[in-house]
Amino acid sequence: MENHLSGQLLLELYRDVEVSKMIEIDWKAEAVKELRNYKFNVQGVKNLRERIEILDAQLEGIRSPGSTEEAGSGRERDETYCDVITKRDNMRRRLDIIEREIQLIDKALSALSQPERDALVIRYINSEYNSIGHICSKFHVERTKAYSICAGALQHFSAALFGLSAEK
């Protein structure tokens, strides 16, 4: 019985290793996605806060005694009230997630040197047209060196963001 269990355990471990090889994550690609979404997430936080304020105001209107005309009466008002609460709670959860993502990116960016941060901002966050050309101008380097600067900065950013090795 013991040999059967250890053999089955080995098969499960082997299968888990094989599965993990198949779904290996490209951390640099994930880091690029995070950087490209950064600017939109910052704006999204502002918009979500405003939307939550609007929903809070709607809830006040539904709760107030003279609001039967706007929200209907009885069951219809209860459904509206529940819908607004659900929407607001979902937005609050999303807001919390996005704020935490922004904080993680800010922390990872702060671990970089200023030139590395500048290169990533130009290349990925601002997604400037001809970003490599702008990096060449900013750092007074050739295109190959600009690509090298971005690659090194992305490696260091990935390491800071995901806890990976800073070496290639």
Side-chain angles (χ1 to χ4, degrees), residues 35-50:
L35 290 167
R36 290 190 194 266
N37 287 329
Y38 181 82
K39 184 169 47 173
F40 301 108
N41 283 342
V42 169
Q43 184 59 49
V45 163
K46 294 174 188 172
N47 290 342
L48 278 170
R49 285 185 181 138
E50 193 168 327

Side-chain angles (χ1 to χ4, degrees), residues 73 90 159:
S73 59
N90 287 338

Side-chain angles (χ1 to χ4, degrees), residues 25-74:
I25 296 172
D26 183 350
W27 294 109
K28 285 184 184 176
E30 290 298 314
V32 168
K33 285 182 201 172
E34 296 286 340
L35 290 167
R36 290 190 194 266
N37 287 329
Y38 181 82
K39 184 169 47 173
F40 301 108
N41 283 342
V42 169
Q43 184 59 49
V45 163
K46 294 174 188 172
N47 290 342
L48 278 170
R49 285 185 181 138
E50 193 168 327
R51 286 181 174 274
I52 290 168
E53 286 177 14
I54 290 168
L55 292 171
D56 284 338
Q58 286 178 343
L59 282 174
E60 283 301 314
I62 295 169
R63 278 188 242 153
S64 63
S67 66
T68 54
E69 288 177 24
E70 274 184 40
S73 59

Side-chain angles (χ1 to χ4, degrees), residues 8-157:
Q8 188 165 352
L9 182 62
L10 284 173
L11 283 173
E12 286 180 33
L13 287 173
Y14 178 76
R15 187 185 68 229
D16 290 345
V17 168
E18 290 302 310
V19 168
S20 70
K21 285 181 185 176
M22 292 185 334
I23 56 171
E24 194 165 315
I25 296 172
D26 183 350
W27 294 109
K28 285 184 184 176
E30 290 298 314
V32 168
K33 285 182 201 172
E34 296 286 340
L35 290 167
R36 290 190 194 266
N37 287 329
Y38 181 82
K39 184 169 47 173
F40 301 108
N41 283 342
V42 169
Q43 184 59 49
V45 163
K46 294 174 188 172
N47 290 342
L48 278 170
R49 285 185 181 138
E50 193 168 327
R51 286 181 174 274
I52 290 168
E53 286 177 14
I54 290 168
L55 292 171
D56 284 338
Q58 286 178 343
L59 282 174
E60 283 301 314
I62 295 169
R63 278 188 242 153
S64 63
S67 66
T68 54
E69 288 177 24
E70 274 184 40
S73 59
R75 182 175 164 198
E76 186 179 323
R77 186 177 349 163
D78 291 345
E79 287 177 8
T80 302
Y81 187 75
C82 288
D83 289 346
V84 172
I85 288 174
T86 300
K87 188 184 281 188
R88 183 195 62 190
D89 290 348
N90 287 338
M91 285 186 184
R92 282 183 177 162
R93 276 191 293 280
R94 182 71 189 136
L95 177 63
D96 182 54
I97 290 167
I98 294 172
E99 285 176 332
R100 289 174 28 208
E101 288 174 349
I102 289 170
Q103 289 171 356
L104 289 172
I105 292 168
D106 287 341
K107 288 177 189 175
L109 286 170
S110 71
L112 305 178
S113 68
Q114 189 61 50
E116 288 177 320
R117 266 193 307 277
D118 291 344
L120 292 181
V121 167
I122 293 168
R123 181 93 170 128
Y124 301 111
I125 293 176
N126 293 342
S127 297
E128 294 181 18
Y129 174 75
N130 189 23
S131 60
I132 292 297
H134 289 153
I135 293 169
C136 289
S137 297
K138 182 170 182 70
F139 298 113
H140 309 288
V141 295
E142 297 294 322
R143 290 182 77 77
T144 55
K145 182 63 176 171
Y147 281 110
S148 176
I149 290 169
C150 288
L154 187 59
Q155 179 69 33
H156 292 148
F157 176 76

